[in-house]
Amino acid sequence: MDDASYAFINQQYVTGQQNGADTGFIDVTSYIRNGLNEVTFLTYNRYDGYAWGFEIMKNGEIIFDDTEGLTGAIAAYDDYSEEDQFVYNKTISINATKCTTMTTTSSTAAVTTTVLLNKTGKEKTSTEITIPTSTTSEQLIPSVIIDHNTKWKQNAITVAGRLAFGNQSNELSGPLSVYVDDDNRCIYIADTVNNRIVKWEFGADKGEIVQRKNQPGNPENILNLPRDVLLDKEKKFLIICNFDNRQVMKWSLYSDNQVDPVMIRVIPCWGLAMDNNGDLYVSEWDKHQVRRFYDGDRQGTVVAGGNGQGNQFNQLNQPHYIFVDKDHSVYIADYMNNRVMKWIKNAVQGSLIVPGQVFNENPSSSVQPISVIVDHMGNIYVSSKDSHQITRWSPGEIEGTTVVGEKEYGWGPTQLINPQALSFDQQGNLYVVDSGNHRIQKFVIDRA
């Protein structure tokens, strides 16, 4: 069989077999924009012709599968003869590290190697393609579009911790926050009661403590009820809300010899967020405001609240976790005001996007919201105090819809107890910090 040709033409990934048996293409524009890093093209040589298909992979997980017919052919002819075998299996690694948007002009990628793989898998190489990009500040978003119709499988997978609190490597105790690092296939957990940050690789049965205690004996450098954790833009440092010490810490993932890991002192932090420029946002629960900090900035700028404790639209009352979108709008779980607020960039007041309960007229309304995240279409996902469910609020709606969890608390795969921070991964799966059960639950997106 002749080698196949590969090229990016007007943002379409085109394949063809030069012998003319089969040709096809797939538009992978959105996948490239959103972090595609691997394409597998398969051809299966059957006795009556060729079958072909695609698998688009991101970090080892299939995000697009067009191999159903091919898979069937392989299964049907598993007892293949000399003519029945894999004749082409090409995996292409795409360098899309900084690929935030694609230019609209035609471009051709350079294919540096080819691969032929028979069914015994004796020969396999990879192909590197470098994609021309235009640099923007737009964040890479999940590869799967999440909207108001998206559903998740109700039986969650426990990806960290277990149904018993403790301080062993396979245990958590009252965790409050989770950060998903898709690129390195792991999560970071603010294991609050254990006063530590835990790194837990995808599929692992135990975690690794990544807390660094520089200058032993110095209480300033010891974690004390950490409430939130994330990575900096370059993914070289952990940024930690060290709640009881009223600090924001910046701990290197690669060095144990930091002189001073305290990034911001005397700050009543609760939630952290980072925009696509790498600027840090911190909610200050007893100052009733959110500040933004540029790299190296220790003073910060108030971007929400800052007008005293209150319930006016220019005020906050004990803000908890926060979320920042690609336009640098800040979404705030305004805890004591029973509402979620949105402050667009440079606004002098916020807008109400998740209302509080008013005289029991809208019982599904948010009561003391704890965490908030936002999907591609602007739908809001909220965890709330004394609720064991996660609700979704579409723009303009006055009632939320339950997406996971049950009304009654519990420890089953469909149940939660005191859920805290929320996060999506690049495949659209929903992660919930099931604090009362001392575990992190992953609700897999339902593609049915």
Side-chain angles (χ1 to χ4, degrees):
M1 174 183 172
D2 294 332
D3 190 14
S5 60
Y6 293 85
F8 279 96
I9 301 175
N10 292 327
Q11 300 183 23
Q12 288 183 337
Y13 189 74
V14 181
T15 71
Q17 298 177 6
Q18 293 178 356
N19 63 3
D22 291 296
T23 59
F25 75 90
I26 181 169
D27 188 339
V28 297
T29 306
S30 61
Y31 297 108
I32 298 165
R33 181 182 297 122
N34 298 329
L36 167 70
N37 57 17
E38 187 175 274
V39 174
T40 298
F41 176 70
L42 300 171
T43 299
Y44 189 71
N45 183 10
R46 290 167 39 182
Y47 72 94
D48 58 348
Y50 291 99
W52 62 270
F54 293 93
E55 286 180 348
I56 296 182
M57 310 286 292
K58 185 174 190 301
N59 296 325
E61 294 190 31
I62 297 174
I63 59 175
F64 182 90
D65 188 353
D66 190 32
T67 61
E68 182 176 355
L70 176 61
T71 303
I74 294 170
Y77 296 93
D78 196 43
D79 53 341
Y80 63 98
S81 64
E82 187 66 20
E83 297 79 33
D84 262 335
Q85 57 184 309
F86 281 114
V87 294
Y88 203 81
N89 183 325
K90 185 165 188 171
T91 297
I92 296 172
S93 298
I94 294 179
N95 181 3
T97 304
K98 296 182 179 180
C99 185
T100 54
T101 62
M102 292 293 295
T103 58
T104 57
T105 57
S106 298
S107 59
T108 301
V111 179
T112 58
T113 62
T114 59
V115 60
L116 291 174
L117 177 69
N118 60 24
K119 193 168 183 179
T120 61
K122 291 181 179 178
E123 183 179 354
K124 183 175 182 181
T125 58
S126 64
T127 299
E128 182 92 0
I129 292 183
T130 302
I131 304 171
T133 65
S134 59
T135 302
T136 73
S137 60
E138 183 181 353
Q139 282 182 311
L140 294 177
I141 56 177
S143 303
V144 177
I145 299 299
I146 304 171
D147 58 27
H148 68 281
N149 292 317
T150 302
K151 296 180 180 180
W152 289 267
K153 295 179 180 179
Q154 296 302 296
N155 287 321
I157 301 169
T158 299
V159 295
R162 62 192 186 111
L163 285 174
F165 68 89
N167 60 7
Q168 300 302 305
S169 60
N170 65 338
E171 296 173 322
L172 302 170
S173 184
L176 292 182
S177 179
V178 62
Y179 176 89
V180 181
D181 181 4
D182 284 278
D183 294 333
N184 295 302
R185 299 183 57 76
C186 65
I187 58 177
Y188 291 89
I189 305 161
D191 190 12
T192 305
V193 176
N194 280 329
N195 298 310
R196 65 188 187 185
I197 304 299
V198 178
K199 175 184 177 181
W200 210 295
E201 295 184 353
F202 292 175
D205 57 5
K206 62 182 179 181
E208 172 193 357
I209 299 173
V210 292
Q211 163 191 357
R212 301 282 190 250
K213 291 186 178 180
N214 305 307
Q215 303 175 13
N218 184 349
E220 189 177 57
N221 293 341
I222 297 176
L223 292 182
N224 197 351
L225 298 182
R227 283 192 176 272
D228 206 358
V229 61
L230 51 77
L231 293 180
D232 72 325
K233 187 177 181 181
E234 303 299 326
K235 297 193 174 182
K236 295 180 179 179
F237 292 89
L238 287 170
I239 311 297
I240 304 166
C241 167
N242 198 13
F243 178 78
D244 245 24
N245 282 7
R246 297 173 73 88
Q247 302 165 330
V248 173
M249 315 288 289
K250 186 176 182 179
W251 249 315
S252 173
L253 290 172
Y254 303 103
S255 173
D256 291 329
N257 299 316
Q258 280 181 268
V259 175
D260 184 8
V262 180
M263 181 179 180
I264 308 168
R265 288 178 167 82
V266 194
I267 182 169
C269 62
W270 193 292
L272 308 173
M274 186 164 287
D275 67 23
N276 41 35
N277 291 332
D279 298 332
L280 178 68
Y281 297 70
V282 183
S283 63
E284 301 176 77
W285 71 277
D286 69 355
K287 287 190 176 180
H288 317 291
Q289 63 185 20
V290 177
R291 275 193 284 172
R292 180 186 62 225
F293 294 84
Y294 299 113
D295 187 30
D297 176 16
R298 305 231 171 178
Q299 297 302 315
T301 301
V302 175
V303 295
N307 296 299
Q309 182 178 14
N311 61 6
Q312 301 302 306
F313 278 15
N314 67 343
Q315 295 177 307
L316 300 171
N317 192 346
Q318 294 189 22
H320 280 27
Y321 291 106
I322 56 178
F323 179 91
V324 179
D325 68 15
K326 62 183 177 61
D327 299 316
H328 300 179
S329 295
V330 185
Y331 298 76
I332 306 160
D334 193 8
Y335 182 73
M336 290 303 293
N337 280 330
N338 300 319
R339 65 189 186 185
V340 175
M341 300 292 288
K342 176 182 178 181
W343 288 63
I344 64 173
K345 187 176 181 179
N346 299 323
V348 296
Q349 68 177 28
S351 57
L352 181 67
I353 55 172
V354 175
Q357 192 171 12
V358 181
F359 304 117
N360 293 319
E361 292 179 2
N362 50 341
S364 69
S365 296
S366 182
V367 178
Q368 293 183 309
I370 294 171
S371 182
V372 55
I373 56 175
V374 184
D375 68 20
H376 304 75
M377 309 305 294
N379 300 295
I380 315 299
Y381 299 79
V382 181
S383 63
S384 302
K385 183 184 178 183
D386 298 329
S387 173
H388 311 294
Q389 298 174 310
I390 307 304
T391 55
R392 173 170 55 208
W393 299 74
S394 297
E397 290 188 355
I398 62 172
E399 291 189 5
T401 302
T402 299
V403 292
V404 297
E406 299 183 8
K407 288 185 178 180
E408 299 298 325
Y409 72 87
W411 44 87
T414 64
Q415 296 176 302
L416 303 166
I417 300 178
N418 190 26
Q420 296 286 311
L422 311 172
S423 185
F424 289 125
D425 66 16
Q426 287 288 314
Q427 286 73 45
N429 303 311
L430 175 62
Y431 290 71
V432 179
V433 179
D434 188 10
S435 185
N437 282 319
H438 313 288
R439 63 188 181 182
I440 309 300
Q441 296 292 83
K442 174 183 175 180
F443 290 89
V444 176
I445 192 168
D446 191 347
R447 303 175 188 274

